[in-house]
Amino acid sequence: MPRQYPIEKYRNIGIIAHIDAGKTTTTERILFYTGVSHKIGDIDEGNTVMDWMVQERERGITITSAATTCFWTPTYLPKTKENEYRINIIDTPGHIDFTVEVQRSLRVLDGAVVLFDGVAGVEPQSETVWRQADKFGVPRMCFINKLDRMGASFEKSLDSILQKLTPNAVALQIPVGEEENFQGVIDLFSMKLLVFEGDFGETVTEKEIPADMQEKAKEWRNKMLEKIAAEDEQLLTKYLEGKELDIQAVKAVLRKATLANKLVPVFTGSSLKNKGVQPMLDGVVAYLPSPADLPPVKGIDPKTSGEIERKPLDAEPFSALAFKIATDPYVGTLTFFRLYSGSLQKGSYVLNATTGEKERISRILQMHANEREDVDELFAGDIAATVGLKSTSTGHTLCDENQPIVLEQISFPEPVISVRIEPNTKVDQEKMGMALKRLSDEDPTFRIKSDMETGETIISGMGELHLDIIVDRMKREFGVSANVGRPQVAYKETIKGEAEAEGKYIRQSGGKGQYGHVYLRVAPRERGQGFEFLNEIRGGTIPQEFIPAVEKGVKEALDKGVLAGYPLVDLEVALFDGSFHDVDSSEFAFKIAASMALQDATKRAKLILLEPIMKLEVVIPSQFLGDTIGDLSARRGRIEETYDRMNLKVIDAKIPLAEMFGYATSLRSLTEGRGTFTMEFDKYEEIPQNITTEIIEGKRR
């Protein structure tokens, strides 16, 4: 089956934003205008295509990223097959608890549309997704949405983007009217007013700019041309000489600058009122990259460990990255992947270069939210799913057996909150283990572990909502009823100083004895750098075969913790001396000796506890400012800044997660039910000594 669309006509894009900026509503409009769906879904009515999970429809939020494919002919071109573009879209969640979905989607996408609420402008989660896109170097464009809402302001929202995210944003449109008077948008290139007519705004009509907007439009057009011309010497010379600029040349420079992340085009409208979505789709085609516009993907050759690359061509060897695992009630485990090079046929065998195992591709599915369509072959640039892979999980590379490559893995944030969970009945006991295993395969930020001392199962995730959804899914999808304990904060331990210690394990019994003897040195590392083991043994004082056992003993001791049983992080452990016995030394003895030495050394190196600190934004009516700040200070919160957003006050603060349980109820009672807040994980910080003592005593009790 030949390729139907040349790779230059592909756009792999994500729609990313703060919670409630209108991502799903915008995607629903895109599906309607591109002819994929014949009716517009509504979040309030719970009938959207992209939010298909029961939990999403009940809560009116996106929980899992959904992929779909649509086809678009730009409005300025005749509707023919040659002018059609294939757009693969991933609609991502905005809630911080599901940040993993944004992280893994951005890893495989070529471009992104960042949505902003026209009333609130840049919100905390907008900054987070923007930083994630920066991390992966994803070219993006902005869409300022909800201009029909009370208090909406295009200029204020654009200012917040310029100040908080990037000075390189360039407006290509301005609105005519705001709030209930929002009529349409002025295209600053064609200098025409675009209005959206018909029952669902499906007809885009060009009109003359109203007389009272002429001057303003000229002013904005000059700002736009100046910013774009600054990216190209010839254009800049013409612009400064006051000559008329060729619009196609200006657009070409804008595309080049967008692909290089030097400029960010800004569009505007109101998805809910069906205004502005089609010009935004034209912008996706005009300014966001096709897979061919991006540099070749880099990876490691597992045979030589050298760096190799794959160009986005069908003739190159096959390589793909699995970026998401999902459980489908009808077909089993779905593995979503992005093809970077080569082609893939149904029924072929591929190599999982991460695990070294072979996998058979029995079916290839083109996903449309939770609907599936079987296809026989895929090509470079495609995003699709397959069924029944045995050993492939998120971040693994699938490739040609004869020309292996390992693509860069996806890194995920650490869970910050834990709860104890126990099944209601003996039957639930067996089913719970299987359900938790399946759910943790799907979600790398969801972890399960058993508490050795109490035998309880502990599940950890990114927030209370995250764990609520997990428990709800266990009940509905796997039929497991469970009791859940109170949320616990995921504390960590670390050291502040350096120290050395000796660990000696000698046991003599009738036959062969046990002998292990090591000297370890511990030193702190920067926050977030994790653990590093250094082997400084010279001259064979400990034989090489026992070194891995020492490292294993150290790692096991780190997991158990020393101060209060929390994992030890951010330290360097060096093995620098020791001794062995020709007959009695064993891996077991060295493992125990290492564990003893580590506990002793860390106790001398000034152990401290760390806690997760959250970035908090509270939005309240101004009369409640004093009470709210007082309450945050009592919760050990540090107020970073307060500012006005329309007639409301916004408080930005950093606050320990441990103090935030039940905050929603407390804020409601303080503000007569009118305050709202959002929070996200920021970093780990040292806990004050008096609270450390309370935690240790509480843990011992």
Side-chain angles (χ1 to χ4, degrees):
M1 188 182 90
R3 181 193 264 283
Q4 290 181 312
Y5 289 83
I7 196 161
E8 292 74 24
K9 291 277 171 83
Y10 272 67
R11 296 290 181 273
N12 290 323
I13 64 162
I15 297 198
I16 60 175
H18 184 86
I19 190 166
D20 217 16
K23 294 179 294 297
T24 301
T25 305
T26 304
T27 312
E28 292 296 321
R29 298 307 180 273
I30 291 173
L31 296 183
F32 178 73
Y33 296 135
T34 55
V36 173
S37 56
H38 302 293
K39 161 173 164 291
I40 293 181
D42 189 313
I43 290 174
D44 296 335
E45 288 173 23
N47 60 4
T48 56
V49 176
M50 300 304 271
D51 283 356
W52 53 270
M53 281 170 74
V54 187
Q55 292 86 349
E56 294 180 313
R57 292 186 165 182
E58 284 178 356
R59 290 170 168 81
I61 59 168
T62 304
I63 291 167
T64 166
S65 52
T68 189
T69 299
C70 58
F71 303 92
W72 179 248
T73 306
T75 50
Y76 48 85
L77 293 175
K79 266 198 168 234
T80 62
K81 181 81 172 162
E82 288 72 52
N83 289 334
E84 202 169 66
Y85 285 77
R86 178 192 177 112
I87 304 179
N88 294 320
I89 300 176
I90 297 185
D91 173 30
T92 62
H95 198 288
I96 184 63
D97 285 15
F98 310 108
T99 184
V100 57
E101 294 288 342
V102 184
Q103 200 79 327
R104 59 178 164 199
S105 302
L106 282 171
R107 170 68 179 82
V108 297
L109 290 169
D110 302 330
V113 178
V114 191
L115 257 60
F116 297 91
D117 179 330
V119 180
V122 173
E123 297 172 90
Q125 196 61 39
S126 323
E127 295 186 47
T128 305
V129 296
W130 193 273
R131 283 199 304 272
Q132 286 172 323
D134 278 342
K135 179 177 157 191
F136 294 115
V138 176
R140 67 214 84 146
M141 52 187 248
C142 300
F143 182 67
I144 297 174
N145 189 21
K146 301 196 176 189
L147 282 192
D148 58 301
R149 274 186 61 200
M150 178 114 160
S153 163
F154 171 75
E155 293 189 26
K156 275 189 183 160
S157 298
L158 181 62
D159 276 349
S160 70
I161 294 171
L162 292 166
Q163 283 166 17
K164 292 184 177 177
L165 302 179
T166 174
N168 303 330
V170 52
L172 308 189
Q173 298 176 332
I174 57 167
V176 174
E178 273 169 357
E179 301 181 352
E180 70 272 17
N181 302 320
F182 178 50
Q183 296 162 32
V185 298
I186 293 173
D187 178 351
L188 298 175
F189 278 123
S190 64
M191 286 303 268
K192 289 278 191 268
L193 166 64
L194 305 180
V195 289
F196 303 87
E197 294 169 338
D199 293 343
F200 302 106
E202 63 274 21
T203 312
V204 185
T205 312
E206 284 194 352
K207 295 190 172 175
E208 291 307 317
I209 298 173
D212 60 340
M213 289 290 291
Q214 295 269 3
E215 280 309 307
K216 190 176 180 185
K218 279 182 190 156
E219 190 187 314
W220 277 91
R221 179 183 161 93
N222 281 334
K223 274 198 239 175
M224 172 188 83
L225 292 175
E226 185 180 342
K227 211 158 190 174
I228 299 171
E231 296 298 322
D232 181 272
E233 274 184 41
Q234 289 176 324
L235 267 190
L236 188 58
T237 310
K238 274 187 180 174
Y239 177 76
L240 294 173
E241 287 170 359
K243 291 181 183 166
E244 191 57 40
L245 300 181
D246 172 32
I247 290 304
Q248 290 315 315
V250 175
K251 286 184 174 180
V253 168
L254 175 57
R255 174 175 175 78
K256 198 173 155 195
T258 306
L259 299 187
N261 276 317
K262 289 181 176 171
L263 286 180
V264 181
V266 180
F267 292 79
T268 188
S270 163
S271 299
L272 187 65
K273 293 286 189 277
N274 309 315
K275 291 182 166 76
V277 176
Q278 298 97 317
M280 188 252 305
L281 274 173
D282 289 349
V284 166
V285 165
Y287 307 116
L288 290 183
S290 76
D293 291 316
L294 297 170
V297 62
K298 290 183 166 53
I300 301 293
D301 184 336
K303 293 173 187 165
T304 63
S305 298
E307 191 177 80
I308 47 176
E309 51 182 47
R310 294 274 185 272
K311 296 188 180 74
L313 303 172
D314 300 344
E316 286 267 300
F318 164 70
S319 68
L321 185 77
F323 66 94
K324 179 178 159 99
I325 309 294
T327 304
D328 186 294
Y330 304 106
V331 297
T333 304
L334 282 172
T335 305
F336 286 79
F337 59 94
R338 153 79 193 261
L339 234 79
Y340 282 100
S341 61
S343 60
L344 178 68
Q345 285 82 24
K346 190 168 84 173
S348 56
Y349 282 89
V350 297
L351 172 73
N352 178 334
T354 315
T355 63
E357 293 181 39
K358 274 166 74 169
E359 297 269 25
R360 182 170 182 270
I361 306 290
S362 55
R363 285 174 76 188
I364 299 175
L365 302 170
Q366 199 70 65
M367 295 305 291
H368 174 49
N370 63 333
E371 309 265 310
R372 301 164 295 278
E373 176 197 340
D374 277 275
V375 292
D376 295 330
E377 191 171 8
L378 293 176
F379 301 94
D382 277 325
I383 291 178
T386 183
V387 185
L389 298 189
K390 304 224 167 20
S391 64
T392 302
S393 64
T394 301
H396 287 186
T397 303
L398 299 172
C399 61
D400 185 324
E401 297 172 66
N402 303 319
Q403 291 177 290
I405 182 172
V406 180
L407 301 173
E408 187 195 343
Q409 288 251 5
I410 312 174
S411 58
F412 296 110
E414 285 292 311
V416 293
I417 187 169
S418 308
V419 295
R420 296 177 188 281
I421 184 167
E422 57 182 33
N424 284 347
T425 64
K426 188 82 180 125
V427 180
D428 285 331
Q429 175 87 47
E430 289 155 18
K431 290 199 312 201
M432 186 174 94
M434 188 195 77
L436 289 175
K437 163 92 177 68
R438 295 268 287 275
L439 291 165
S440 73
D441 286 346
E442 276 187 35
D443 183 348
T445 57
F446 171 59
R447 311 272 171 87
I448 318 153
K449 71 171 193 185
S450 296
D451 188 322
M452 294 297 182
E453 291 164 20
T454 60
E456 293 171 308
T457 302
I458 296 167
I459 57 175
S460 309
M462 299 306 294
E464 289 178 88
L465 179 64
H466 186 194
L467 296 179
D468 271 356
I469 299 283
I470 294 275
V471 173
D472 191 37
R473 286 187 61 191
M474 266 173 47
K475 193 171 172 182
R476 294 196 199 193
E477 292 171 32
F478 301 95
V480 179
S481 294
N483 292 325
V484 180
R486 278 189 56 237
Q488 308 278 323
V489 176
Y491 294 113
K492 293 195 178 352
E493 300 178 9
T494 191
I495 53 172
K496 285 182 88 171
E498 291 190 23
E500 293 179 357
E502 175 186 21
K504 213 170 199 175
Y505 182 73
I506 304 173
R507 287 286 177 278
Q508 248 358 92
S509 54
K512 184 175 181 293
Q514 295 285 357
Y515 183 93
H517 178 215
V518 297
Y519 282 94
L520 296 181
R521 180 175 62 251
V522 296
R525 301 184 78 198
E526 286 285 310
R527 194 69 63 247
Q529 282 194 341
F531 157 72
E532 186 181 19
F533 180 77
L534 303 175
N535 173 14
E536 295 178 359
I537 292 295
R538 300 287 173 269
T541 47
I542 296 176
Q544 204 55 41
E545 67 262 28
F546 295 131
I547 307 288
V550 174
E551 186 173 352
K552 197 172 176 198
V554 166
K555 280 185 177 163
E556 284 180 12
L558 291 178
D559 287 344
K560 288 188 195 129
V562 177
L563 189 60
Y566 295 109
L568 261 158
V569 295
D570 302 336
L571 73 160
E572 175 186 286
V573 179
L575 167 65
F576 66 92
D577 201 1
S579 63
F580 72 104
H581 188 283
D582 287 340
V583 179
D584 291 352
S585 278
S586 67
E587 288 189 359
F588 173 75
F590 272 102
K591 201 170 102 173
I592 295 197
S595 178
M596 289 159 63
L598 183 93
Q599 292 201 19
D600 197 10
T602 49
K603 280 176 188 163
R604 297 176 188 181
K606 204 172 177 204
L607 271 167
I608 55 166
L609 271 187
L610 300 172
E611 65 180 343
I613 301 293
M614 310 303 279
K615 209 159 96 181
L616 177 74
E617 182 190 81
V618 188
V619 182
I620 47 165
S622 50
Q623 66 263 39
F624 304 113
L625 183 67
D627 291 351
T628 309
I629 285 182
D631 180 57
L632 289 174
S633 303
R635 292 170 182 270
R636 298 196 283 135
R638 292 197 304 273
I639 311 299
E640 306 242 299
E641 75 170 312
T642 59
Y643 53 92
D644 296 313
R645 181 182 290 164
M646 288 164 25
N647 50 0
L648 297 170
K649 284 279 182 199
V650 182
I651 306 168
D652 282 344
K654 298 270 174 72
I655 194 160
L657 175 63
E659 306 290 344
M660 288 304 287
F661 295 128
Y663 183 64
T665 316
S666 155
L667 183 66
R668 266 188 225 121
S669 59
L670 277 174
T671 61
E672 297 171 6
R674 290 156 66 194
T676 58
F677 75 96
T678 50
M679 68 172 180
E680 57 176 280
F681 172 69
D682 186 50
K683 57 175 184 264
Y684 270 90
E685 265 183 18
E686 185 179 343
I687 305 181
Q689 190 53 49
N690 59 329
I691 292 164
T692 300
T693 312
E694 280 174 35
I695 293 167
I696 295 171
E697 283 171 5
K699 185 88 173 171
R700 288 188 183 141
R701 276 205 298 279

